Amino acid sequence: GNSVTQMEGPVTLSEEAFLTINCTYTATGYPSLFWYVQYPGEGLQLLLKATKADDKGSNKGFEATYRKETTSFHLEKGSVQVSDSAVYFCALAQTGANNLFFGTGTRLTVIP
Amino acid sequence: GAVVSQHPSWVICKSGTSVKIECRSLDFQATTMFWYRQFPKQSLMLMATSNEGSKATYEQGVEKDKFLINHASLTLSTLTVTSAHPEDSSFYICSAQDPRLLTGELFFGEGSRLTVL
């Protein structure tokens, strides 16, 4: 079956610190992988995605590389800001399917 | 990008009453919309797939008589929580796919927080 395992939070970092949120997945075939972000009081927004092995998704300074050999899609950012405080969800979707399978979410708090 | 909007963003109701949540695609037509539920500190769980003009497809364990879904038009799907109880309190989120996009990306509404007293 399909599942996503995500690093448990919460994570608290100082501004300008390096961020890594781990995500591993189980899936058949070649799924697409996503990171969604949920800011306080808002719905989910797509942060970045990768559709095949070795692809790197990037947006707003965040990056994640689709690693098929380790079935991982870890989210990284070199220097976090207070405005990055949010809940981050890793997700996968099978090719041609609309349904997303989400991880449990990781709450990030960045303090000045 | 495509916009999906939900209403209301939050609602408080008494136990035993019914609550309707609307999900609209504002600038595209969506033949399929998805309803998710998010419990505190947990992930989003797909509840059902809403299909325009036909019955919704519910995930295992989701009571279709409890969570009524109506997708009457290409831009509107509604979720009605019938005879709500405190355990139904949750964050409900809808999503839709813009068929014009080849990426298959899903767009999410802002979510609706339901509190049942």
Side-chain angles (χ1 to χ4, degrees):
Chain A
N2 300 298
S3 67
V4 176
T5 301
Q6 192 173 338
M7 170 180 162
E8 289 190 18
V11 174
T12 302
L13 295 173
S14 297
E15 206 165 19
E16 299 184 359
F18 183 85
L19 168 71
T20 299
I21 300 178
N22 291 336
C23 172
T24 57
Y25 67 91
T26 301
T28 55
Y30 303 93
S32 294
L33 301 174
F34 306 83
W35 276 100
Y36 281 84
V37 58
Q38 184 178 27
Y39 296 106
E42 300 182 17
L44 275 74
Q45 302 173 27
L46 179 64
L47 179 60
L48 54 84
K49 65 179 181 181
T51 57
K52 61 182 186 296
D54 299 326
D55 266 3
K56 177 186 284 187
S58 61
N59 186 26
K60 299 181 180 180
F62 290 89
E63 293 184 340
T65 301
Y66 189 147
R67 301 288 188 196
K68 187 166 178 61
E69 63 277 13
T70 54
T71 61
S72 65
F73 193 55
H74 305 322
L75 181 68
E76 296 182 337
K77 186 173 185 179
S79 176
V80 293
Q81 305 300 313
V82 173
S83 56
D84 293 326
S85 297
V87 181
Y88 292 82
F89 290 92
C90 185
L92 73 82
Q94 288 290 358
T95 302
N98 297 323
N99 184 20
L100 284 169
F101 294 86
F102 286 90
T104 52
T106 301
R107 181 176 298 278
L108 169 67
T109 301
V110 180
I111 55 177
Chain B
V3 178
V4 174
S5 180
Q6 278 182 247
H7 177 81
S9 56
W10 59 270
V11 57
I12 301 173
C13 70
K14 292 183 179 180
S15 185
T17 60
S18 295
V19 174
K20 180 184 287 187
I21 301 170
E22 295 185 345
C23 177
R24 294 181 184 275
S25 56
L26 298 185
D27 56 356
F28 66 98
Q29 294 182 329
T31 55
T32 303
M33 292 184 174
F34 303 90
W35 286 96
Y36 289 83
R37 181 175 182 178
Q38 184 182 20
F39 291 100
K41 299 184 179 181
Q42 295 188 30
S43 182
L44 283 79
M45 299 297 296
L46 180 66
M47 298 175 64
T49 302
S50 171
N51 304 297
E52 189 270 335
S54 65
K55 292 182 179 180
T57 304
Y58 290 82
E59 295 299 304
Q60 190 173 10
V62 178
E63 300 175 58
K64 60 182 179 181
D65 294 332
K66 173 76 170 176
F67 299 99
L68 300 180
I69 291 174
N70 186 358
H71 196 152
S73 78
L74 287 171
T75 59
L76 174 64
S77 175
T78 60
L79 168 68
T80 301
V81 183
T82 62
S83 186
H85 291 284
E87 58 265 30
D88 299 324
S89 299
S90 190
F91 194 55
Y92 293 88
I93 304 176
C94 72
S95 70
Q97 188 178 50
D98 187 343
R100 300 168 300 177
L101 301 179
L102 300 179
T103 58
E105 180 179 348
L106 284 174
F107 296 91
F108 286 80
E110 311 94 325
S112 300
R113 184 166 299 284
L114 169 64
T115 301
V116 184
L117 303 177

